[in-house]
Amino acid sequence: MHDVSPVTNRGSSDVDMSVQERTRITYKARLNQEEVMTMRWAQLWRTIVTSALGKTLFPYTRYIRTLNLEDLEELLQDPKFKNQVSSMFFEGELAAHKIQTSGPKKNQRLDAGRTSNTLGDIITTSTPLLEELSGKIENDALLRWIPRTPHLRLLNLWYGGALVGAGPLLRQHCHAFTTLSFWGWTHDEADHNFADFLNEINSQTLESLEIFSYASIGAESFLALSCHRYSLRELKLNSINSTAMHSLNKLAGCTNLTTLLLTDATNRSVYLKNAHNDIFLEIVAWLTSCKKLRSVTFRNLRGGQDLMTPMLLENDIHLTSLELSGYAMADAHDFHQALANQTSLQELQLQGDSDEVGDGVATLVESLSQLVNLTDLRLQDISDYFTDEVIGGLARSLPKLEGWYTSGWGVTDYIWSDIALLKSLRRLDMAAMSRFSAHGILDFILRLGPGNKGLVLAIMMADVDCDLTEEEQMTIKETIAAQVDGRFEFQLQRGMTVKQIRWRYG
């Protein structure tokens, strides 16, 4: 059952209700509305299950292409799935498939995970066209379901351990399988078992692999990915550990990547350039050989800027999206300078510690000014020392911006005339210490045109001495709504750092 169904994800109770209708409805009536939506949600899933049992007039399940069992589990865990709703759902032929938790009877409750797997077992007996399967699926269940789904193309699992033994079955029954993702896999044999899986499925078929959280994988799995070196286009590895970081050079064969994401949730990995320079150079050689890369994201990788720099300088690599977080401006002169070589960039996100000493800000700004194709620019912390002149200069240099998030220091109404030049701007998040006036903001809004339709203007760190009155805020909200059907958000800056005290009091 696809996520776009109007009665999934707790029923989406705001669907088809206007703002005015929602404000008129009483609390009790809203609770009743939510119960009705939960009932409809449950009825939809019950119809799917009973269809698989041949108890409906129309064989709905035979046409299902996407099955998200996580949505079913959410239904079973929903606080409103009780009494009348639960009784309706499990009546008749479904009564035998209700699984309770173990323990004393008075403490037993519905085991949502096991029940959703049991019901999934029924559904998959009658889904010959199924292409996408998601959920917290147990290993034994997955091994039963794979032979039933010859058109399976995508698997999105909660626990990677469910894949043990699945490789030969996918090779035999699912020739269209290309996409795999799972949340995590913590086990001593995870690396070995995942390598076996990658070797067992049909070679050169895996196109996308994403691991959302921590997994104990490393050298064996990375080497096994070479079996898919020609087909693999997207590789996203979140929360990699130090062992995996040291093994990234084993990915040397995977050079057809278009998307690469690497994150270290702890930011405690070894600084490879200094500690293991030979491995560092091998990883750099791999990255610079990935000529088809279009999107690269490194989050909290120690020395991530050093790994990125040679890649940015590679003339045969033309990135459209880049994100780097967890670095320091003081260590990133070469990286910031190299950014200017990637004029194909359309989306750029940088987050790191800024530095008011030296030429760090000037180097970064000079490179940013040359990225004339940028449509989305997000600068967090690294832009803390951006001034009126810097922000205004960037606005003049980057005419295609549609979304812009920036911090800054001592920003005033001076910037509005330059920001107004951005004829495609749809969102501006000003997380800078600012002193804007209502007049300055209104003057900017009145300069907006058709290309700014729907603009969200968020001022998030206004100086307390430049607070806008409720009347001024209301006038701004009404004006931006009338001018471009936009929205205005305003928040004063709370608490003061040493830097902010120096700015306010000199």
Side-chain angles (χ1 to χ4, degrees), residues 3 40 45 55 69 90 93 103 158 160 202 224 233 235 240-241 271 277 333 357 361 395 406 411 460 468 488:
D3 286 338
R40 290 178 58 194
W45 271 111
K55 301 294 185 180
L69 290 176
F90 287 112
E93 52 274 303
W158 182 263
N202 288 312
R233 298 288 186 270
L235 180 61
I240 59 176
N241 57 26
Y271 189 40
N277 190 251
H333 178 272
V357 180
V361 170
T406 185
V411 182
M460 295 177 282
L468 300 177
F488 176 68

Side-chain angles (χ1 to χ4, degrees), residues 235 237-238 240 245 248 257 259-265 267 280 283-284 286-288 293 295-312 319 321-327 335 349-351:
L235 180 61
L237 305 174
N238 287 282
I240 59 176
M245 188 69 187
L248 289 175
L257 294 175
T259 300
L260 175 65
L261 179 149
L262 301 172
T263 78
D264 177 357
N267 197 215
F280 170 81
I283 296 173
V284 167
W286 164 54
L287 292 173
T288 54
L293 273 174
S295 175
V296 177
T297 299
F298 289 173
R299 295 185 188 134
N300 296 322
L301 294 186
R302 290 194 64 189
Q305 70 276 7
D306 296 321
L307 289 171
M308 270 196 179
T309 300
M311 184 170 45
L312 298 179
L319 299 177
S321 176
L322 184 148
E323 178 183 342
L324 178 67
S325 66
Y327 75 106
F335 166 72
Q349 181 170 335
L350 302 175
Q351 184 276 321

Side-chain angles (χ1 to χ4, degrees), residues 139 142 157-164 181-186 193-194:
N139 176 249
L142 183 62
L157 305 171
W158 182 263
Y159 181 55
L163 295 169
V164 175
S181 59
F182 57 86
W183 283 95
W185 193 349
T186 54
N193 288 336
F194 190 45

